[in-house]
Amino acid sequence: MADTEEWGKPVERKGRLTVVLVLATLIAAFGSSFQYGYNVSVVNSPSQFMQQFYNTTYMERYHSPMEENVLTLLWSLSVSMFPLGGFFGSLMVAPLVNKLGRKGTLLFNNIFSIVPAIMMGVSEIAKSYEIIIVARFIVGICAGLSSTVVPMYLGEIAPKNLRGALCIVPELFITFGILCAQVLGIRNILGNSTGWTLLLGLTGIPAAIQLLLLPFFPESPRYMLIQNGDEKKATKALQRLRGWDDVDSELLEMRQEDQSEKAEGHLSVFSLLSQRSLRWQLISIVVMMMGQQLSGVNAIYYYADSIYGSAGVRESDIQYVTVGTGAVNVFMSVTAVFIVEASGRRLLLLCGFGICCGACVLLTVALNLQETVTWMPYVSIASVIVYVIGHAIGPSPIPYVVATEMFRQTARPAAFMVAGSVHWLSNFVVGLIFPFLERGLGPYSFIIFAVICLVTLIYIWLVVPETKKKTFLEVFQMFAKRNKVELNLGDGDLPLKELKESPQDAQKATPF
C-alpha cells in the first residue's frame, strides 16, 4: 500500500509510466535528440549538389573555377564544423543547467537550432556557402547541448525502475533522426539540386515544436529540491510525474543525497577531476565515451556510401541500402528501450562492444577478399549491419544512462560536461582522420576500431558495475570501495573520509 510505513520510513512505490512522464520524454527527445541524428547524416545525400553550389557561387564571385583542394577544404569544413560545434556546446552544459535548469536549458538550446535552420534554408538565395559552414557550427552547439542535457533531464525525472529505458529514448530519436535524413535525402524526394536547402532547413521544425510544448511540463524535481532548495515545487513536479500524491519516499531519498553532498557543494570540472570519491566514475565515463566514438560508428555513418561502393553495390542502389541500415538501427534502438531494465546496463555494453569488435574484423576480411570472391560484397554489407546492431544495443545508448547514474546531483553537470567534451572531440577526430586511415591502410583501418572495441570491453568487464534499479546514492556507495573512500550515512553532514592505506582497507577496496 502507498500509505503504509515500515520502521518509520515511507514504503517506496514502484514507478510507472504516466501521461505527463511519457509526453515530457517524447517532447524533450524529439525536440532535441532528433536534431542531433538528423544533422549527422543530412549532408551525405545532397553532398554533390552542395559542392556544385559552392563551385557555382565561387565562379560568380571570382570568374574562375574553384580549385579542387579549396573545394575539398570547404566541404571538409562543412562536415567537421558540426562535431566541432558539438564540442563547444558540451562546454556550455554545466553553467547552463546550473543556472537555467534542465528544462530551461533545453528551451534555450532551441535558439541554436532555429537560427541555423533559417540560415541554411536561405543560403542558396543569399549565394553564400559561408552561411552553411557557420550554420553547421551553430547547429553543432545545439547537438552538443542536447546530447548531454536530454539524458540528464530524463534520468532525473524518471523513477529508478524506468530510468534506463527512458534514458535510451534520446538515442532512439537520434537514430530516428538519422533515418529521416536518409529517407528525405533520396534523390526523388529532397536529395537533389532543388530540394537540398529545404532538406537542411527542416531541422528547425522539431525545435519549434519543443519550444511551444515543453514549457507545460515539469522541471527536474531533483534540480528544484537539491540545487534550488524549493521543496514545494519539487513535490508538485513529482506528483505530476508519478500520478499520485504520496511521493515521500522519493523526497526522502533526494534529501539524503542532498545531505551527503553538503560538504562538497557545487563541483566545477576542475574540482571534479580532483575528487577522490569520483575518480573511477570519471575514468569509466571517459573510457566509455571514447570507446563509443572511437569504435568506428561515425566512420560507418559518415562514409557509408563509400563503404557500400567499395563493397560492390551499384551507385543507384547505395541510397536504399543506407536507408535500410538506418531502419535496422532504429529497430535495435527500440529493442534496447524494452530490454535494458531486464538485461541491465553492463550486459548490453559487453555484448554491444563484443559484436562491434567481431563485425570490424569480419568487415576487414570481406573488403580484402571482395576482388577474388564474388559473394564477398554481401558479407561486407552484412558486417556493416551487424556492427550497427551491436552499437545500437549497447555502445550508442548505454554510456549516457550509466553517466546519469554514476554521479550525484551537484557533480552531474560537470561530469556530463567532461563526458560531452570527450564524446564530441572523439567524434571530430574520427571524422578528420578516417579518410587518411582509409587511404593509408585501406580495409585494415577497421582493425584499429576492433582493437578499441576490445579494450573498452575489457575495461567494462573489470571495472564498471551493474547500476540498474539503484538509487544515485546506492551507485555512489558501490564505487566507494574502489575509490578507497568511506560513505557515512548519518543524521548530520555526511562527510566522505579517505581510507588509510592498510591491509584491512585494501581488502575493503576490492574490485566489483
Side-chain angles (χ1 to χ4, degrees):
M1 298 293 291
D3 55 353
T4 59
E5 294 190 357
E6 185 177 355
W7 302 105
K9 292 184 179 180
V11 174
E12 185 177 2
R13 276 181 167 184
K14 188 177 181 181
R16 64 179 183 180
L17 285 174
T18 61
V19 173
V20 174
L21 181 60
V22 169
L23 290 178
T25 300
L26 295 178
I27 292 168
F30 176 66
S32 297
S33 302
F34 177 89
Q35 298 178 67
Y36 174 10
Y38 187 85
N39 286 291
V40 163
S41 63
V42 71
V43 295
N44 290 351
S45 296
S47 59
Q48 70 179 85
F49 304 107
M50 292 175 68
Q51 290 179 60
Q52 286 174 9
F53 165 69
Y54 288 14
N55 199 24
T56 303
T57 302
Y58 188 90
M59 280 277 292
E60 291 178 358
R61 288 182 188 175
Y62 305 109
H63 308 291
S64 64
M66 184 182 290
E67 294 181 13
E68 187 175 348
N69 60 340
V70 176
L71 180 60
T72 302
L73 175 62
L74 289 174
W75 182 247
S76 297
L77 285 173
S78 301
V79 174
S80 60
M81 281 298 104
F82 179 70
L84 187 63
F87 171 69
F88 280 95
S90 66
L91 296 179
M92 298 163 62
V93 169
L96 284 178
V97 296
N98 286 330
K99 180 71 174 177
L100 303 178
R102 281 58 167 153
K103 187 183 80 169
T105 300
L106 291 177
L107 292 172
F108 175 77
N109 191 32
N110 290 313
I111 296 172
F112 299 115
S113 175
I114 295 173
V115 170
I118 295 171
M119 291 171 65
M120 290 187 287
V122 302
S123 58
E124 190 174 26
I125 298 172
K127 296 183 178 181
S128 172
Y129 45 75
E130 294 90 349
I131 288 180
I132 296 175
I133 295 171
V134 173
R136 287 283 292 174
F137 176 79
I138 297 172
V139 82
I141 293 175
C142 172
L145 280 165
S146 66
S147 65
T148 51
V149 179
V150 176
M152 188 189 304
Y153 175 62
L154 298 185
E156 292 181 9
I157 68 173
K160 67 180 181 180
N161 61 301
L162 297 174
R163 192 188 304 132
L166 293 188
C167 284
I168 289 180
V169 171
E171 181 61 32
L172 170 60
F173 274 86
I174 289 172
T175 58
F176 184 56
I178 292 171
L179 178 61
C180 283
Q182 291 168 342
V183 171
L184 293 174
I186 291 174
R187 294 287 183 267
N188 295 331
I189 304 178
L190 293 176
N192 50 55
S193 59
T194 58
W196 64 267
T197 52
L198 177 59
L199 181 66
L200 297 181
L202 287 176
T203 187
I205 293 177
I209 293 173
Q210 185 185 78
L211 197 59
L212 289 172
L213 298 180
L214 193 59
F216 297 101
F217 293 88
E219 175 60 270
S220 161
R222 309 187 81 87
Y223 169 78
M224 288 189 287
L225 178 62
I226 298 177
Q227 292 184 248
N228 279 2
D230 194 334
E231 186 168 331
K232 185 177 179 180
K233 285 186 178 179
T235 303
K236 186 177 180 181
L238 263 181
Q239 289 170 341
R240 286 188 66 198
L241 289 165
R242 301 296 176 259
W244 52 59
D245 292 333
D246 183 9
V247 292
D248 290 345
S249 59
E250 281 197 76
L251 288 172
L252 176 62
E253 184 263 319
M254 290 183 198
R255 291 190 203 102
Q256 288 177 333
E257 183 179 340
D258 183 27
Q259 191 71 11
S260 73
E261 294 184 298
K262 284 191 182 296
E264 299 172 22
H266 293 293
L267 292 179
S268 65
V269 171
F270 295 108
S271 58
L272 178 71
L273 296 174
S274 63
Q275 282 282 334
R276 182 173 179 176
S277 60
L278 299 171
R279 184 176 300 167
W280 280 101
Q281 293 97 308
L282 195 60
I283 293 172
S284 298
I285 290 304
V286 169
V287 170
M288 284 190 288
M289 288 299 172
M290 289 183 68
Q292 180 195 63
Q293 294 300 309
L294 299 181
S295 60
V297 62
N298 288 310
I300 296 288
Y301 285 133
Y302 288 147
Y303 303 99
D305 289 2
S306 63
I307 290 173
Y308 292 138
S310 64
V313 180
R314 289 185 302 178
E315 185 176 354
S316 60
D317 295 334
I318 285 177
Q319 57 183 339
Y320 301 107
V321 177
T322 302
V323 169
T325 305
V328 171
N329 197 6
V330 171
F331 176 77
M332 294 311 302
S333 296
V334 173
T335 303
V337 171
F338 289 100
I339 67 174
V340 65
E341 294 300 347
S343 62
R345 290 70 158 135
R346 192 168 182 268
L347 179 62
L348 289 181
L349 283 169
L350 293 172
C351 290
F353 278 110
I355 291 171
C356 290
C357 179
C360 285
V361 173
L362 185 61
L363 181 60
T364 302
V365 174
L367 290 175
N368 272 294
L369 296 179
Q370 68 181 14
E371 299 292 336
T372 55
V373 182
T374 56
W375 45 267
M376 270 299 160
Y378 302 105
V379 177
S380 297
I381 296 172
S383 300
V384 171
I385 293 173
V386 169
Y387 178 94
V388 167
I389 289 172
H391 214 274
I393 64 170
S396 280
I398 304 300
Y400 274 117
V401 178
V402 178
T404 301
E405 296 174 327
M406 279 185 177
F407 295 92
R408 295 177 296 168
Q409 191 71 19
T410 55
R412 196 171 295 123
F416 267 73
M417 191 168 162
V418 172
S421 300
V422 173
H423 171 103
W424 287 102
L425 273 180
S426 301
N427 186 324
F428 179 74
V429 167
V430 171
L432 194 64
I433 69 170
F434 181 72
F436 300 100
L437 285 176
E438 190 180 33
R439 190 181 307 166
L441 299 177
Y444 293 102
S445 57
F446 286 95
I447 289 294
I448 297 174
F449 299 134
V451 171
I452 291 171
C453 288
L454 181 60
V455 170
T456 309
L457 185 151
I458 292 171
Y459 178 88
I460 292 168
W461 175 267
L462 294 175
V463 176
V464 178
E466 181 53 68
T467 58
K468 72 172 183 176
K469 297 182 181 178
K470 298 284 193 300
T471 67
F472 298 121
L473 204 53
E474 286 170 343
V475 175
F476 187 78
Q477 287 176 289
M478 292 167 70
F479 273 97
K481 290 181 180 180
R482 182 172 289 276
N483 289 319
K484 297 180 182 178
V485 297
E486 184 179 331
L487 182 63
N488 296 323
L489 296 177
D491 294 330
D493 286 349
L494 305 179
L496 294 169
K497 298 180 179 179
E498 294 189 2
L499 297 175
K500 295 179 180 178
E501 294 295 336
S502 66
Q504 293 84 357
D505 295 324
Q507 190 174 7
K508 287 180 183 178
T510 53
F512 298 112

